[in-house]
């Protein structure tokens, strides 16, 4: 049985899912919507797909069974509600929303309309993270005791829209990137956190949103975790991850602080928005997925400690540091987005419960909000909505 997907938003996120859709034997892309006429026309030519200029039109298309909502965070609520009302299955980019109340409304809409909804936290779908979870769950090196994820990069100085630099609209590294970190940590740890204590940093008045955070997370069983993120383009954790970054490409720029210098040469927000747009589908700065040298993807440096050993990623798999020896476990070339598409397909056509459903997305959102609130109030926040766990 085929699953026909329409893509809402052909920016960086929307484009990045296309290779995974093409690889799945029972999934195809049949339509897209957006505001850029030239980009949509190129997409229609390349894929023989229908094009639309609104979410409503896309969801009225009878050749679409599911929609991938890759639109800005502040539009997620409106667009998920439209999709659910038209009985379309849903992948919505992270974070699911900017408030727990909105997340509840989206979960209720999907359930009342009988559609599957998956939140696209693609990094916990990646083979290294899933393999770490498998080793932790097996107990082969003892019980889990500590998880650390530290990511230093240039996020705050990559070309951004004004909305991405406005925390109220879901901008800044805590909403945009912390949602990945907390998802990875929760997935490895099994799900339910007890408390959060954190600080955040807004260190550049020209980029008025969080560019850094440091959070201490505690699971209900006492396992501790740290999530450190710094997007101010000084030190990069690729120096510690074999030169490999997100998605698995080698970091080949070799130019120190190039993002920070480049964005400061942009004259105004409109020009910066245009520069970011060029990284979308068919743009001059779009990623060339087929020509990059790809390894296992690194979302910063992740180190997991159990009672009798530690785990970290290698370029092509995992290093497991046991009591008597260090071994490398090679992994296949499957990507997180491949697994994301498979999870939606299996939920729709095989009746399998999705791990990354709306409640999982809401729990990750709660951690984002707790980090921001803890930083503002300088106190520990106890979590109350962490009901989403995995076996």
């Amino acid at each position: 049985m085929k699953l026909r997907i329409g893509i809402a938003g052909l920016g960086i996120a929307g484009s990045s899912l296309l290779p995974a859709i093409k690889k799945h034997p029972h999934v195809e892309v049949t339509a897209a919507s957006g505001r850029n006429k030239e980009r949509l026309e190129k997409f229609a030519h390349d894929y023989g797909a229908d094009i639309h200029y609104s979410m409503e039109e896309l969801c009225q298309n009878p050749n679409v069974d599911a929609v991938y909502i890759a639109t800005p965070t502040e539009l997620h609520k409106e667009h998920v509600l439209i999709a659910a009302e038209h009985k379309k299955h849903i992948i919505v980019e992270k974070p699911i929303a900017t408030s727990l109340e909105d997340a509840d409304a989206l979960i209720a809409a999907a359930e009342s309309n009988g559609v599957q909804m998956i939140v696209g936290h693609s990094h916990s779908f990646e083979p290294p993270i899933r393999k770490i979870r498998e080793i932790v769950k097996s107990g082969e090196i003892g019980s889990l005791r500590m998880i650390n994820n530290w990511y230093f990069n240039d996020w705050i100085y990559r070309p951004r829209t004004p909305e991405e630099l406005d925390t109220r609209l879901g901008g800044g590294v805590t909403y945009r990137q912390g949602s990945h970190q907390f998802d990875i940590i929760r997935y490895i740890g099994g799900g339910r956190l007890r408390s959060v204590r954190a600080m955040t940093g807004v260190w550049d008045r020209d980029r008025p949103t969080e560019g850094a955070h440091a959070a201490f997370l505690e699971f209900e069983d006492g396992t501790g975790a740290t999530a450190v993120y710094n997007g101010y383009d000084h030190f990069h954790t690729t120096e510690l991850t074999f030169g490999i970054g997100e998605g698995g490409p080698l970091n080949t720029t070799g130019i120190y602080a190039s993002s920070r210098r480049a964005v400061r040469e942009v004259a105004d927000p409109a020009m910066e928005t245009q520069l970011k747009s060029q990284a979308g589908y068919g743009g001059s700065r779009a990623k060339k997925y087929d020509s990059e040298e790809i390894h296992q993807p690194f979302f910063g440096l992740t180190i997991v400690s159990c009672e009798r050993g530690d785990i970290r990623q290698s370029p092509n798999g995992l290093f497991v540091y046991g009591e008597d020896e260090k071994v490398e476990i090679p992994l296949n070339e499957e990507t997180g987005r491949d697994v994301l598409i498979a999870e939606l397909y299996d939920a729709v056509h095989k009746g399998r419960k999705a791990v990354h459903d709306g409640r999982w997305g809401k729990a990750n959102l709660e951690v984002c909000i707790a980090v921001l609130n803890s930083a503002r109030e300088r106190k520990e926040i106890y979590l109350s909505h962490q009901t989403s766990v995995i076996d």
Side-chain angles (χ1 to χ4, degrees), residues 234-266:
H234 296 101
F235 170 67
H236 285 222
T237 42
T238 49
E239 293 184 27
L240 303 177
T241 58
F242 313 97
I244 304 168
E246 289 182 44
L250 286 170
N251 179 15
T252 57
T253 59
I255 302 173
Y256 181 75
S258 58
S259 296
R260 188 152 29 95
R261 287 197 296 270
V263 80
R264 284 175 174 164
E265 294 174 359
V266 177

Side-chain angles (χ1 to χ4, degrees), residues 9-12 14-16 18 36 38-47 277-284 286:
L10 287 174
I12 297 171
S15 301
S16 67
L18 289 169
N36 187 310
E38 182 180 357
R39 181 181 295 169
L40 285 171
E41 289 176 348
K42 174 176 172 49
F43 182 83
H45 177 268
D46 292 345
Y47 285 89
S277 177
Q278 293 169 9
Y281 186 81
S284 60

